[in-house]
Amino acid sequence: MVSSRSIAVIKRRLQILLVVCLLVGITLRCTNAAHKVYWHDEVYTTIRVLGHSGKALEKQVTQAPIISASELQELQQFPQPRRWSDTWSALVSHPEHPPLFYLLERLWVGVLSPSITSFRALAIVFGLALLPLTYWLCQQLWQDHWAGLIATCLMALSPVQLLYAQEAREYSLWACLILVANGFLIRAMRSSGRYSSSAIVVRSSLATVVRPWGFYGLSVALMLYTTLLSILVIVAHSLYVLISGSRQHWQRFAIALGGAFLAFIPWLLVILSNRAKLESATEWTSFRQPLGQLIKLWGLHLSSTVIDLGLPLEHSYTYWVPPIVLALLLMALWQLLLVTPPPTMAFCIMTLMVPALGLILPDLINGGQLSISTRYFMPSLLMVTLILAGWLRQLMLSDRGLYRFWGQGILVLLLVMGLVSNTLSAASFTWWNKNINYHGNVMGEVIRQTTKPLVIAELGSTGLGSMISLSYAVTPETDFVLFKPGQLPDIPAGYSDYFVPYATGELLDAIASKTGRSPVLAGGDYPLWRLE
């Protein structure tokens, strides 16, 4: 009797907690959308969506002796006339990024007009859609309302989901499609006649069987058109069906998957006809990273699902927080293994481990750094949240008072950590996901403090994107001298200060030799030099 009353109280608390977490999560996703650094990759999202050619823009800015920050930002507007064909041509020239998100973004900003806010707004929409989809997938996976509420609370305050909900890239859309594909696969596997929990054979009509497989195939096709990394999710699904399904399941899965790949053939032809560009664009993934560095990053990928304080890689946080989160996840998996049907656990383990190992093992075997990117681990990070939710549901609604106490305590702790992390992130001008442009705002602040600055920059592989990113952090009147590698022009006189961002030692030596000025770090550990 006491146990029943306690569980009823916990359920009421969960309902209230859901409302609070949803309100906070929605507010945080919509706060300061244009606040953080608009970094290189987002700049190139804009360039391709608007129908510009990166090479043509580089030629344009290097031919001008001097170009202002406001003129650089004009490159983030529609060319005249606006043509969808220009957008398609820009996307085809980058086959490593399938076109779905970019085409949706083109439609979106065509209505709202291009700006940092409008480009990030579409990602925010998908970040918000992730919350009801989380509840829906939990209904399919755990077949439990309360696990769905817990998972939605955790997802609303998941730091990594907030970051990608405010970035003008395809990863919030990918997260939504992963949940949709997962849910329809589970539903399809259960639709074709199997035993229910009450040991009664459930037989479904043909339409009930075919529909989820059709929706599954469609969701897989959309995933593939969002990112090529969706193949890791498909491999995980294939192993799950192979382990848990019957011959009938295998056949229907093969048909659905065949339909998805058939729909993907147009972009596959684009990839094959632009193979050299694909290899060039992904060459960076083959660069070696020290194993110790990779292990630290893998841990931080995992812990970012529940806590992310944005601390430096070498901070002691890196050494103790990720192992604690890993221990919590392993405990959840072990406890669920004891009470969860084998097919459900097979799905959890496959969708958690296979995408992660698909990134980690190639780097371990061949060397490389594909696994340094948190966003590529999105399928596994989503499953971490769902697994923790299933475990916490078991604890919080247990007949044992101690389990209920620990379940509530762990949930509150995870939500508080997420709230603190998200508050810090939302208030910050930058975060680790800004990558090479992490220091953009600090560099801009240094430049803004001078009377009449000139920025001198070499346009290497990431130069144009970084300079357009920096243009948002300086005053519109700030002048830039941009040039191709190895073609340092004459430096104009008449400026109060000269700055060189993101420079190599070779470039600094060439500038010093040509100008007679000594380059010195402008301050801190950010890549900005001042000529003295």
Side-chain angles (χ1 to χ4, degrees):
M1 192 70 173
V2 174
S3 174
S4 298
R5 286 200 300 269
S6 298
I7 291 175
V9 170
I10 290 173
K11 289 181 176 180
R12 285 197 297 272
R13 289 174 180 171
L14 277 177
Q15 291 171 330
I16 296 171
L17 191 63
L18 174 68
V19 175
V20 173
C21 289
L22 283 176
L23 290 175
V24 173
I26 292 170
T27 301
L28 287 170
R29 282 163 172 77
C30 298
T31 300
N32 294 326
H35 186 58
K36 292 189 180 70
V37 171
Y38 198 69
W39 77 290
H40 171 277
D41 282 18
E42 292 180 290
V43 167
Y44 267 89
T45 294
T46 304
I47 287 173
R48 293 165 194 161
V49 164
L50 297 178
H52 294 294
S53 162
K55 294 296 183 184
L57 292 184
E58 285 185 13
K59 183 178 180 180
Q60 177 182 335
V61 300
T62 54
Q63 286 179 340
I66 296 174
I67 187 168
S68 68
S70 60
E71 290 173 326
L72 280 175
Q73 291 172 27
E74 288 175 5
L75 303 178
Q76 302 275 276
Q77 299 296 317
F78 277 111
Q80 294 301 328
R82 300 185 186 185
R83 289 190 294 248
W84 277 87
S85 59
D86 290 337
T87 297
W88 183 252
S89 296
L91 296 179
V92 167
S93 66
H94 290 273
E96 73 277 11
H97 291 292
L100 178 58
F101 176 79
Y102 298 87
L103 293 175
L104 293 174
E105 191 81 274
R106 171 63 174 80
L107 184 64
W108 180 268
V109 297
V111 175
L112 299 181
S113 80
S115 68
I116 292 179
T117 301
S118 64
F119 270 96
R120 286 178 171 166
L122 184 60
I124 292 173
V125 169
F126 292 125
L128 295 175
L130 188 68
L131 304 182
L133 287 173
T134 297
Y135 176 82
W136 173 78
L137 176 55
C138 273
Q139 290 285 78
Q140 311 305 315
L141 180 63
W142 302 119
Q143 296 183 295
D144 183 84
H145 167 70
W146 304 105
L149 295 190
I150 295 169
T152 306
C153 290
L154 291 172
M155 198 70 78
L157 297 183
S158 174
V160 73
Q161 300 305 333
L162 173 67
L163 287 181
Y164 290 111
Q166 287 195 328
E167 186 170 279
R169 305 295 311 287
E170 60 266 32
Y171 298 103
S172 60
L173 170 60
W174 190 33
C176 289
L177 291 173
I178 291 167
L179 295 189
V180 170
N182 285 348
F184 278 120
L185 178 60
I186 294 170
R187 175 174 284 193
M189 290 287 285
R190 286 179 175 151
S191 68
S192 51
R194 58 180 298 170
Y195 288 96
S196 70
S197 57
S198 58
I200 300 174
V201 176
V202 178
R203 301 193 182 279
S204 306
S205 67
L206 181 61
T208 306
V209 172
V210 172
R211 191 179 298 117
W213 283 113
F215 283 130
Y216 171 71
L218 176 61
S219 62
V220 169
L222 294 175
M223 272 202 308
L224 288 169
Y225 272 105
T226 301
T227 171
L228 300 180
L229 290 170
S230 298
I231 194 68
L232 297 175
V233 181
I234 295 171
V235 173
H237 288 175
S238 301
L239 291 174
Y240 162 65
V241 174
L242 185 64
I243 292 170
S244 302
S246 63
R247 177 173 296 185
Q248 189 180 60
H249 289 127
W250 302 340
Q251 293 171 345
R252 290 170 177 169
F253 176 75
I255 293 171
L257 206 55
F261 281 121
L262 189 64
F264 189 64
I265 284 177
W267 194 254
L268 187 59
L269 294 176
V270 170
I271 292 173
L272 293 175
S273 62
N274 293 273
R275 187 181 304 174
K277 291 182 179 180
L278 176 65
E279 291 174 354
S280 175
T282 57
E283 184 182 9
W284 67 270
T285 63
S286 63
F287 300 153
R288 285 188 175 273
Q289 286 279 353
L291 180 59
Q293 188 93 337
L294 290 176
I295 292 173
K296 292 174 194 174
L297 291 169
W298 299 338
L300 291 173
H301 300 334
L302 171 65
S303 61
S304 67
T305 57
V306 293
I307 180 171
D308 175 17
L309 302 181
L311 296 171
L313 187 61
E314 296 305 322
H315 194 278
S316 58
Y317 168 96
T318 303
Y319 298 91
W320 60 270
V321 170
I324 291 174
V325 176
L326 177 60
L328 200 66
L329 177 62
L330 292 176
M331 188 182 303
L333 284 169
W334 173 251
Q335 292 294 322
L336 287 172
L337 196 61
L338 301 176
V339 297
T340 306
T344 302
M345 282 310 300
F347 181 86
C348 290
I349 292 172
M350 290 298 105
T351 52
L352 172 71
M353 297 299 297
V354 171
L357 291 176
L359 298 168
I360 290 171
L361 290 180
D363 285 354
L364 290 177
I365 296 170
N366 302 318
Q369 57 174 358
L370 183 63
S371 62
I372 68 171
S373 299
T374 302
R375 58 190 182 269
Y376 296 165
F377 284 80
M378 186 63 73
S380 298
L381 301 184
L382 291 169
M383 283 310 303
V384 169
T385 300
L386 300 180
I387 289 168
L388 290 176
W391 174 52
L392 291 174
R393 186 269 175 205
Q394 296 292 336
L395 292 179
M396 294 175 66
L397 302 185
S398 170
D399 291 333
R400 301 180 63 175
L402 183 61
Y403 285 3
R404 294 196 298 273
F405 172 79
W406 278 109
Q408 293 177 84
I410 293 171
L411 177 60
V412 169
L413 178 62
L414 294 178
L415 294 178
V416 168
M417 291 191 304
L419 178 60
V420 171
S421 301
N422 289 331
T423 302
L424 292 173
S425 171
S428 174
F429 284 107
T430 191
W431 213 249
W432 53 260
N433 63 316
K434 300 308 173 187
N435 205 306
I436 56 176
N437 304 127
Y438 177 86
H439 298 288
N441 191 71
V442 177
M443 293 161 61
E445 185 177 357
V446 171
I447 296 170
R448 288 197 308 269
Q449 291 173 356
T450 60
T451 307
K452 190 178 180 183
L454 177 69
V455 178
I456 306 165
E458 183 179 75
L459 297 188
S461 60
T462 59
L464 179 62
S466 293
M467 289 308 100
I468 294 177
S469 173
L470 184 61
S471 73
Y472 288 104
V474 300
T475 60
E477 301 80 19
T478 300
D479 285 338
F480 289 71
V481 171
L482 306 177
F483 56 94
K484 296 179 180 179
Q487 300 181 12
L488 177 64
D490 292 330
I491 308 299
Y495 291 89
S496 64
D497 296 86
Y498 295 82
F499 293 96
V500 186
Y502 307 109
T504 62
E506 183 179 349
L507 174 60
L508 293 173
D509 291 341
I511 291 176
S513 175
K514 189 157 191 171
T515 64
R517 292 170 174 261
S518 300
V520 296
L521 279 172
D525 61 350
Y526 42 87
L528 179 68
W529 288 262
R530 186 197 305 262
L531 300 185
E532 293 188 345

